[in-house]
Amino acid sequence: MSAVAVLEKVPLFSQLAPAELQRVVEATRERTYPKNSVILFEDDPGDALYVVAQGQVKVVLIGEDGREVILSVLGPSEFFGEMALIDDEPRSAHVIAMEDSSLIVLRREDFQGILKQSPGIAVALLKELSRRLRRVDEKVGSLVLLDVNGRVAQLLLELADEEGGERITRRLTHHTIAQMIGSSRETVSRTMRELVDRGLIDVSRKDITIKDRAALETAAGRS
Ligand code: CMP
């Protein structure tokens, strides 16, 4: 897919006139990262913004004992690396390729120039940052207020809502889900099995389907 076709789908850039979008594209370059390679290191200085063209990346914090907490999983048309460019602080987390991934890279000066010229982009960026803050708020709430069953239910609802329906096609292993909700792979596997047995979800090789949204919402403490 061309850089124009990728950036057109990113809400941040989609409102640009074709000529402006073309100027942004000319300032970018494409880079590929093999599965498991580190794209950004926490605490490094920030020199670029990244848009996922293909593949999937995870935003992670890594403890001294090597344990990982996944803050977010980002796929095609999602961006990262904006925080260090906005506040001139070091990178807030590591970003690691979960699959072979192809990214569109926009240098700091070019991103900042575009932000200054286009208030629409600044507003779109604020919108996305608010969306991410809401998700972090939900996550903090679920970590404190819900048991693992509830956290799994909440994550499944969130992932299905992101795809706008009852299906989750994003590829996430039980180990990854465990790292997203602060649990162990074994507990996640057991919880998923229970949700299947109770008829709340269906799991196939390709996707997860929500069968009983009301019951899943109750499990997630939403009602
Ligand atoms: P930056 O701090 O420059 O580098 C790490 C990036 O990870 C950060 O910018 C954001 O783009 C992204 N990031 C950090 N925390 C979150 C989060 N909670 N949800 C989604 N993305 C995040």
Side-chain angles (χ1 to χ4, degrees):
M1 200 188 286
S2 74
V4 175
V6 174
L7 294 187
E8 263 175 358
K9 292 216 192 79
V10 184
L12 196 59
F13 300 111
S14 58
Q15 53 184 311
L16 290 177
E20 283 178 304
L21 186 65
Q22 190 54 40
R23 268 204 299 281
V24 174
V25 167
E26 277 161 19
T28 63
R29 69 204 151 86
E30 193 162 339
R31 288 199 58 182
T32 54
Y33 290 84
K35 181 174 174 172
N36 294 330
S37 58
V38 182
I39 301 160
L40 295 184
F41 286 90
E42 183 180 354
D43 290 335
D44 269 4
D47 52 5
L49 173 90
Y50 297 77
V51 178
V52 181
Q54 239 181 2
Q56 188 161 248
V57 306
K58 58 183 176 184
V59 179
V60 294
L61 298 177
I62 303 179
E64 277 177 13
D65 59 0
R67 277 191 307 155
E68 280 186 14
V69 180
I70 299 182
L71 301 174
S72 189
V73 173
L74 304 171
S77 300
E78 295 186 289
F79 65 85
F80 60 90
E82 76 294 346
M83 288 169 62
L85 305 190
I86 294 170
D87 64 9
D88 282 329
E89 294 286 329
R91 296 295 191 192
S92 59
H94 299 275
V95 181
I96 299 174
M98 296 173 79
E99 331 172 334
D100 292 347
S101 298
S102 156
L103 306 177
I104 292 173
V105 189
L106 184 63
R107 285 183 313 147
R108 163 190 280 270
E109 310 80 66
D110 295 314
F111 174 65
Q112 287 174 338
I114 292 163
L115 260 191
K116 286 202 184 99
Q117 278 163 24
S118 169
I121 290 201
V123 172
L125 183 59
L126 285 174
K127 247 187 170 160
E128 176 59 21
L129 291 180
S130 295
R131 194 180 73 90
R132 289 184 186 178
L133 186 55
R134 280 177 194 276
R135 288 181 52 189
V136 174
D137 288 354
E138 263 185 25
K139 193 170 224 170
V140 172
S142 77
L143 283 173
V144 176
L145 302 172
L146 298 177
D147 58 13
V148 172
N149 188 50
R151 286 185 232 157
V152 170
Q154 173 152 312
L155 180 68
L156 295 178
L157 287 165
E158 187 187 308
L159 294 170
D161 290 347
E162 263 176 26
E163 295 194 39
E166 305 300 299
R167 278 180 73 220
I168 301 162
T169 57
R170 184 167 264 193
R171 295 170 297 278
L172 297 172
T173 63
H174 290 179
H175 180 60
T176 300
I177 291 176
Q179 290 178 323
M180 293 172 86
I181 62 166
S183 180
S184 68
R185 189 195 56 73
E186 293 76 12
T187 308
V188 168
S189 296
R190 195 176 57 243
T191 306
M192 294 283 286
R193 242 187 343 264
E194 280 166 14
L195 291 173
V196 172
D197 290 346
R198 287 168 54 203
L200 273 62
I201 60 170
D202 236 6
V203 177
S204 76
R205 266 170 50 87
K206 284 206 309 271
D207 58 17
I208 300 171
T209 308
I210 294 179
K211 306 295 282 181
D212 186 345
R213 176 173 275 269
L216 208 57
E217 284 179 348
T218 303
R222 289 198 189 172
S223 53

